[in-house]
Amino acid sequence: MKILAAIDSFKGSLSSVEAGKIVKKAALNVNDDIDFKIKPIADGGEGTVDSFLSLKNSKKIELTVNDPLMRKTKAYYATIDDLAIMEMSQAAGLTKLKDDEKNPMLTSTYGVGQMINHALENGIRRFIIGIGGSATNDCGLGMLKALGCNFLDKNNKEVGICADAIKDIHSIDIKYINPKLKECDIKIASDVDNPLYGKNGASFVYAAQKGADDQMIKVLDDYLRYFAKKTSEIIDNDPNYPGCGAAGGLGFAFKYYLNAKLQKGIDIVFKELEIEESIKESDLIITGEGKMDRQTSMGKVISGIGKLSKKYDKKAIAFCGSFEKEALNVHDIGIDAIFSIQKEAVDLKKAMDKEYAKENLYLCALEVFKLINTYGGI
């Protein structure tokens, strides 16, 4: 029997690679004759780079950049020939901040620009960049400044690098942007379709989780409107284009300043990792994520796995830390069964402890494979 594990990360607990290895161990414990393949996977957010690092010809590139508050931080990205796979969260993600440091008015995407510059200097001309998990709402101002754009105030001096500096922009000069960018093909992996501003925009939908209160959200939304207006003086743009509101407006900056293509994260990742072909060749598909909810069936990894499994009439099951009733919608798109790995009532901190989660996933998977084996499945 051929089994494919394509499991998203259990955020804050297990990586995609770790989850796949645990499930493989459980399956081989039941039947060591199984042909078990692991495909680490993500949808453009956390774990995307690690998914590509699982490929034999990939390289891990480590560097030091500035975090959302401009402190030095370690980051890495993957390369395959002239292709770089990055996560903006490596430089400007929420995980870089403590709870009392979260403030989207003061955080910057500057480090993202540093990562791109680093890759450009090393011959990279194709990019896949996941922009999930941001701590920012600066409309890419910081990134663009790192790449060479000049944002000037009324006294012809450079403005700052965070959202609060947007109000000071009087003119924009893009002639000094890194010239190597003209040679590039940039694909932005995101599962967000939000416009730049408005009630469904970046600030109103996502800024609260980044530390903004109601008053700050309104101000941030006004700043994004102003940024789009000033941009329109030099670049035609549509702030309502789906995805412009991703990562606090970073999607807008990528599309209109860097001519990037905004695409569904799973579409990009699935194609590059040849997930459809792997599912087609397998008998049983294992997927999962930390928490399954109503969003799971709306463009996330599990929904993509389910649809392809259904397309090729393959059985598919999902493991998760927990699931809400709305997650049962995945049964309609190809996931045959969902299994929560929790074996007892514990608080969230305990449930997300790495070693505890490893044990729970292993025990749950072991029992599932025993059940399948009992009925002649493996």
Side-chain angles (χ1 to χ4, degrees):
M1 185 179 196
K2 294 183 178 181
I3 298 179
L4 170 68
I7 306 172
D8 201 354
S9 64
F10 284 44
K11 288 186 179 179
S13 186
L14 300 175
S15 71
S16 177
V17 175
E18 290 171 328
K21 288 181 177 179
I22 292 167
V23 173
K24 179 179 181 179
K25 180 181 177 181
L28 296 182
N29 186 299
V30 174
N31 185 344
D32 60 10
D33 196 38
I34 295 172
D35 181 355
F36 199 107
K37 180 184 292 186
I38 299 173
K39 283 271 189 175
I41 197 165
D43 59 7
E46 178 185 338
T48 301
V49 172
D50 289 335
S51 297
F52 283 87
L53 285 174
S54 68
L55 301 179
K56 291 182 179 179
N57 57 338
S58 65
K59 295 180 181 179
K60 184 176 183 179
I61 308 299
E62 298 179 293
L63 70 160
T64 298
V65 296
N66 291 97
D67 77 359
L69 294 177
M70 295 301 287
R71 302 168 299 198
K72 297 299 181 183
T73 188
K74 297 293 184 181
Y76 66 89
Y77 59 91
T79 63
I80 303 173
D81 299 324
D82 71 336
L83 169 67
I85 303 93
M86 298 180 169
E87 296 170 20
M88 75 83 64
S89 60
Q90 284 281 324
L94 269 177
T95 57
K96 296 289 183 179
L97 304 177
K98 298 176 182 178
D99 285 344
D100 61 359
E101 294 176 330
K102 296 176 181 177
N103 185 338
M105 190 68 76
L106 303 178
T107 49
S108 176
T109 54
Y110 191 87
V112 181
Q114 291 176 306
M115 289 176 67
I116 294 172
N117 277 332
H118 186 275
L120 291 172
E121 293 307 310
N122 284 279
I124 296 299
R125 294 298 181 267
R126 294 190 299 132
F127 291 83
I128 294 174
I129 305 177
I131 58 174
S134 77
T136 55
N137 207 100
D138 69 350
C139 210
L141 173 65
M143 177 190 74
L144 293 171
K145 284 175 69 68
L147 292 172
C149 288
N150 292 321
F151 294 86
L152 308 172
D153 64 17
K154 62 183 179 180
N155 296 315
N156 215 35
K157 294 182 178 181
E158 282 285 338
V159 303
I161 55 172
C162 57
D164 194 43
I166 293 175
K167 68 180 185 301
D168 299 322
I169 297 173
H170 179 71
S171 62
I172 303 172
D173 184 354
I174 61 174
K175 66 172 176 273
Y176 296 111
I177 195 169
N178 193 321
K180 295 182 175 66
L181 288 165
K182 294 180 180 179
E183 307 166 14
C184 292
D185 175 59
I186 303 174
K187 295 178 181 177
I188 302 304
S190 172
D191 60 0
V192 168
D193 288 333
N194 303 76
L196 181 61
Y197 52 73
K199 293 300 181 182
N200 294 316
S203 303
F204 276 99
V205 177
Y206 300 107
Q209 68 192 42
K210 304 175 186 182
D213 58 23
D214 290 345
Q215 181 58 37
M216 185 187 293
I217 288 172
K218 294 177 182 178
V219 175
L220 287 169
D221 187 66
D222 287 341
Y223 285 176
L224 295 185
R225 289 175 184 271
Y226 182 69
F227 193 92
K229 179 182 178 181
K230 298 305 294 185
T231 297
S232 68
E233 295 176 3
I234 58 168
I235 302 171
D236 288 337
N237 69 80
D238 176 11
N240 290 312
Y241 189 90
C244 279
L250 188 61
F252 177 88
F254 270 117
K255 177 170 176 58
Y256 293 111
Y257 284 82
L258 305 187
N259 197 32
K261 303 174 183 68
L262 307 183
Q263 296 180 239
K264 289 287 187 182
I266 60 169
D267 291 344
I268 296 173
V269 175
F270 278 30
K271 180 179 179 180
E272 295 290 337
L273 297 180
E274 299 179 336
I275 297 300
E276 182 166 358
E277 188 63 28
S278 295
I279 288 176
K280 187 177 179 180
E281 296 173 350
S282 302
D283 301 306
L284 174 64
I285 317 301
I286 310 295
T287 188
E289 64 180 352
K291 181 180 180 181
M292 295 177 62
D293 53 29
R294 63 182 182 83
Q295 294 185 21
T296 299
S297 60
M298 301 165 61
K300 298 286 188 178
V301 164
I302 293 178
S303 69
I305 295 295
K307 290 173 182 176
L308 288 173
S309 298
K310 190 173 185 179
K311 177 179 178 179
Y312 293 105
D313 196 26
K314 307 292 183 177
K315 295 298 182 183
I317 62 177
F319 293 105
C320 61
S322 65
F323 66 88
E324 297 178 354
K325 183 178 179 180
E326 289 80 5
L328 297 177
N329 291 334
V330 298
H331 293 319
D332 298 328
I333 56 174
I335 301 298
D336 295 289
I338 301 172
F339 297 94
S340 170
I341 67 174
Q342 301 305 322
K343 64 180 185 295
E344 59 189 339
V346 296
D347 60 32
L348 182 61
K349 183 178 180 181
K350 175 68 173 178
M352 292 182 66
D353 176 79
K354 181 180 285 290
E355 294 306 315
Y356 187 75
K358 283 182 178 180
E359 178 185 84
N360 281 355
L361 177 57
Y362 175 75
L363 292 176
C364 182
L366 185 66
E367 293 304 309
V368 169
F369 287 124
K370 285 180 178 179
L371 177 64
I372 295 173
N373 195 49
T374 298
Y375 290 95
I378 57 175

